[in-house]
Amino acid sequence: MTTGDLLRVEGLTKAYPGVVANSDVSFAIKPGEVHALLGENGAGKSTLVKMIYGLVRPDHGRMLLRGAEYAPAEPRAARASGVAMVFQHFSLFEALNVAENVALGMENPPKLRELAGKIRQVSQDYGLPLDPSRMVGDLSAGERQRVEIIRCLLQDPKLLIMDEPTSVLTPQEVEILFQTLRQLSAEGTAILYISHKLEEIRALCDEATILRRGKVVATCTPRDRSAREMAELMVGTVLTPPARSGTAKGAVALEVAGLTVDSPIPFGTSLKNVSFKVQRGEVLGIAGVAGNGQDELLLALSGELRSGVDAVQIAGVGMGTAGPNERRRAGLVSAPEERLGHAAAPDMSLVENALLSGDTRKGLTRHGFIDWGKTRAFAEEIVKEFDVRTPGTWVAARALSGGNLQKFVVGRELSQAPSVIVINQPTWGVDASAAAAIRQAILDRAAEGAAVVVISQDLDELLEIADRFAALNEGRLSAPRPVQGLTIDEIGLMMGGAHGMEVAHGHA
Amino acid sequence: MVMLEKRPNPSRFWTAATPVLAVVLTMIAGGVMFAILGKNPLEAIRTIFWDPLFGEFAWYFRGQLLVKAGPLILIAVGLSLGFRAGIWNIGAEGQYIMGAIFGAAVGLAFYPMEAWFIFPLMVIAGAFGGWLWAMIPAVLRTRFRTNEILVSLLLVYVAQSILSSMALGALRNPEGGGFPGSRNLSQYPSAANGELIAGSGMHWGVVAAFIAVIAAYVLLQRHILGFHIRLAGQAPRAARFAGVSPNRLVLLCMGISGALAGLAGLFEVSGPAGQISIDFASGYGFTAIIVAFLGRLNPVGILLAGLLMALTYIGGENASTNLGLPSASIQAFQGMLLFFLLAVDLLSNYRLRLSNRETA
């Protein structure tokens, strides 16, 4: 056994009914090392860190922390041993302030006033400005993440696990986070960094362990490898970027003019004077940190949220007060971010889910009576054309994996010969090959003359498929600009810069 | 340790088997209860479930079965549509009463005239009365976001007060010698809802119940409206994405269930009950809630559940007269049925797994 390892994982195996999430996984982290855990969705990264954090018990294998046997029965035990974790999805109460939220996660919280002082101290030391008395509901996603990080730092961890921390940050905020992480690492805290963003890993991490289908397929030093090499290790095949043909742009198919609506979501972001035009054959990419009005924009475009008549115009006709089916009739289809419960009904079969939004444009009913034969044929067509892996169309939507359901949902909308397509997070939680297929399908529809709006938090995705680019920041949309010639810095500024954090590491 | 594990697909077998299992468990637990009360449990169960169908006086009770099951099925079918969409009309009892009052009032207004159109008019008035009473919670919910469970339930008590005042006041039989209660509609041929086939218990309400079962089945299986009702109940956000207006759905489902409950009230007051009286309300509107769930909110299931519930009513009455069982124990018995149904319900979506203490 190598001495000096902080955490050593040997032969960890964890099987769930029907799937082996981790199979004989081994790796080691030294004190102060930033170690990347790299893999596609479903590769087993989450299960692995859940075992380290005591949320899941391994079936086989063992872990050693500073040379001693380590088998946390629950997260509390893991925290007591100096292991802390920042989750991808925050567990914060929006109606409580920062200090109260931090106190809720502690075993023996000190008095709130004392705690607030500590929070200020830690946030200054690590360049994470945060006011302990602010309401969490009013914070941006980046600030919420800081609450979670500070909650961990107050425990003085030896190992900090971070699950996809940059998915909610602007490029500038990412840089600030990295400075904090480097500072922690210099002080001897090891960091286990989970991500599938390769450039980030190259910039930050000392070592990387690459997982594929639950197994360790490679270990490498990220700085010595190209992003492409790592991507191919991760996916296991050679990737082809989507092909796009330069199509001539046509007439304006979708125009949004001065769209201002209140958010129907508690603590949501209202849209403020959003305006843009999309021509036929064009892809407009809308970026933004989560929670800056993306959901509301989709609702306002799909027709689930009504606005002034002329705020949303499809082919020059005011449709702001029309419902979803009237807009579908006019040629606009949409795919919301949340697959289960919004884009699809979890307990209904794929056939029924094909009917859900396909009725109007595919003519699946006559005088209100459903033509199940035709509906089944439509569902089967989607499954075939978009390579949805399922035993059949009778299967409940919730039984499909995230990627397969996403292919079905996006496929359902794209198969309706639309003239306007609005998609929020088209490849969220989807593996790389499925994501490539979805992006290609979107580009194909644009080439056929559809106007496309893609809302996404994945900048690489937008830069890959969009012709023009705009960003949502606190419900306002920046003026769209051609993608060609945009720099990452400019994009970051469109997304709201570092949200007032530019001075964070000024003293360092 | 026993663990529950969510099934990827709902089990078809258990969806069909849970009602049967619930009935069996009710028999066992009910038997224990009857034994504690000092009665022979086998005899009690036989009196409730067997004798009405195959016993000495079965010729009479079989007819009664349809008489009791008719209104239960008619009301439950209406309720099931709302329940599927997540709209909770708990006040069918009130709508049932108001349907009876409206329908009876129309019939009595024509008395003693004899004409073919009187009964159809009463049917329309009955459905309208129930619909109107259901529209109160529906409109309050869509306009002011009140809770339809509370409003519809409380309106039952209002309806009961109106019923008493009608029986004592406006609709009282002027030739009744001062006794409370209206004229007997079953003795007024143009307004009577008599047996269609003598001895069968079949009256127009039973016919309406069968039609409602078929119509609801077609609606849910074949019509986009039925699809939207199911969608709204399972995934409200997906329903809005599909273009369903939640308010329209509330008005529609409350309206249908109210109208059907009103019809049930009208057929009852003009047939088996015969008159508007203080004790006209017999709890059909509440029992129908159990019937709706016992039938898994499925029209065919409700048909069977309504017959089963009618059986426990008739058998329970027999048990209390023949064996001296307290009537509260019969109600407890019926309550057990719903309890066990809901308890074993989760088997269709979850499977039981025996495991050691490892957590996932």
Side-chain angles (χ1 to χ4, degrees), chain A residues 95-162:
Chain A
L96 297 179
N97 72 25
V98 171
E100 287 164 337
N101 265 291
V102 171
L104 277 175
M106 300 178 85
E107 312 297 342
N108 301 302
K111 291 231 167 63
L112 274 180
R113 183 190 299 236
E114 210 175 300
L115 185 63
K118 278 191 182 170
I119 292 171
R120 278 206 188 84
Q121 187 62 45
V122 172
S123 75
Q124 262 172 23
D125 289 353
Y126 290 95
L128 298 166
L130 194 62
D131 178 354
S133 61
R134 278 185 72 194
M135 213 62 134
V136 166
D138 299 330
L139 300 182
S140 73
E143 288 171 315
R144 286 177 201 212
Q145 185 181 58
R146 270 174 250 154
V147 181
E148 294 273 10
I149 295 173
I150 285 172
R151 175 142 85 184
C152 290
L153 294 184
L154 285 171
Q155 304 159 23
D156 194 19
K158 297 289 161 281
L159 174 66
L160 179 63
I161 305 170
M162 303 208 72

Side-chain angles (χ1 to χ4, degrees), chain A residues 381-394:
Chain A
E381 178 195 319
I382 300 167
V383 166
K384 196 156 150 269
E385 192 155 332
F386 288 84
D387 189 29
V388 181
R389 310 273 164 83
T390 166
T393 50
W394 48 268

Side-chain angles (χ1 to χ4, degrees), chain A residues 328 338 370 372 398, chain B residues 7 221-222 230 237 241:
Chain A
R328 285 189 184 113
E338 200 184 330
I370 301 160
W372 283 117
R398 71 161 190 247
Chain B
R7 297 173 191 272
Q221 298 297 322
R222 299 297 309 272
R230 290 190 289 137
R237 289 180 67 209
F241 177 63

Side-chain angles (χ1 to χ4, degrees), chain A residues 198-499:
Chain A
L198 303 159
E199 288 302 341
E200 282 178 6
I201 285 172
R202 291 190 65 228
L204 181 73
C205 300
D206 306 313
E207 288 295 323
T209 297
I210 300 172
L211 291 177
R212 184 163 75 230
R213 296 205 183 119
K215 292 199 174 102
V216 175
V217 290
T219 51
C220 66
T221 307
R223 291 187 234 291
D224 301 344
R225 299 291 187 109
S226 73
R228 188 169 188 91
E229 276 176 291
M230 285 197 289
E232 286 171 2
L233 283 174
M234 195 164 94
V235 182
T237 52
V238 178
L239 288 171
T240 42
R244 55 189 321 176
S245 46
T247 345
K249 310 286 178 266
V252 172
L254 175 70
E255 178 168 1
V256 173
L259 174 66
T260 300
V261 277
D262 285 335
S263 174
I265 308 162
F267 290 105
T269 308
S270 300
L271 296 177
K272 298 166 195 97
N273 200 21
V274 170
S275 300
F276 61 86
K277 289 180 191 173
V278 196
Q279 290 168 279
R280 300 193 71 117
E282 183 186 37
V283 180
L284 173 67
I286 296 183
V289 171
N292 272 292
Q294 288 93 332
D295 292 340
E296 290 79 3
L297 181 59
L298 182 111
L299 294 177
L301 292 178
S302 74
E304 291 163 83
L305 187 60
R306 315 290 165 90
S307 58
V309 182
D310 288 324
V312 179
Q313 295 168 33
I314 301 169
V317 182
M319 282 276 175
T321 52
N325 283 329
E326 283 170 84
R327 297 193 195 191
R328 285 189 184 113
R329 215 164 283 129
L332 180 145
V333 299
S334 52
E337 170 182 3
E338 200 184 330
R339 292 182 280 264
L340 279 179
H342 194 183
D347 290 323
M348 287 190 166
S349 71
L350 294 183
V351 177
E352 290 170 302
N353 272 300
L355 178 67
L356 196 149
S357 77
D359 171 25
T360 312
R361 288 190 71 75
K362 297 298 279 187
L364 303 177
T365 57
R366 201 181 311 145
H367 306 301
F369 285 92
I370 301 160
D371 187 340
W372 283 117
K374 211 170 165 184
T375 310
R376 192 167 298 112
F378 178 46
E380 274 158 11
E381 178 195 319
I382 300 167
V383 166
K384 196 156 150 269
E385 192 155 332
F386 288 84
D387 189 29
V388 181
R389 310 273 164 83
T390 166
T393 50
W394 48 268
V395 170
R398 71 161 190 247
L400 264 62
S401 73
N404 273 312
L405 186 57
Q406 184 69 8
K407 283 195 273 186
F408 182 82
V409 167
V410 172
R412 177 183 69 192
E413 303 307 329
L414 296 184
S415 303
Q416 299 181 31
S419 59
V420 182
I421 301 167
V422 184
I423 303 187
N424 191 4
Q425 298 275 65
T427 60
W428 177 74
V430 172
D431 64 67
S433 53
I438 289 173
R439 287 175 198 150
Q440 186 63 59
I442 294 171
L443 287 177
D444 289 347
R445 290 303 179 281
E448 288 161 26
V452 184
V453 178
V454 176
I455 306 169
S456 177
Q457 287 157 40
D458 185 343
L459 287 179
D460 298 334
E461 170 171 272
L462 291 178
L463 296 178
E464 196 172 288
I465 63 173
D467 299 302
R468 285 189 305 143
F469 181 94
L472 269 173
N473 181 23
E474 291 172 2
R476 291 190 182 82
L477 189 74
S478 69
R481 294 177 54 179
V483 164
Q484 292 214 319
L486 267 186
T487 66
I488 268 292
D489 262 351
E490 288 171 316
I491 291 171
L493 290 175
M494 288 165 88
M495 289 166 71
H499 291 110

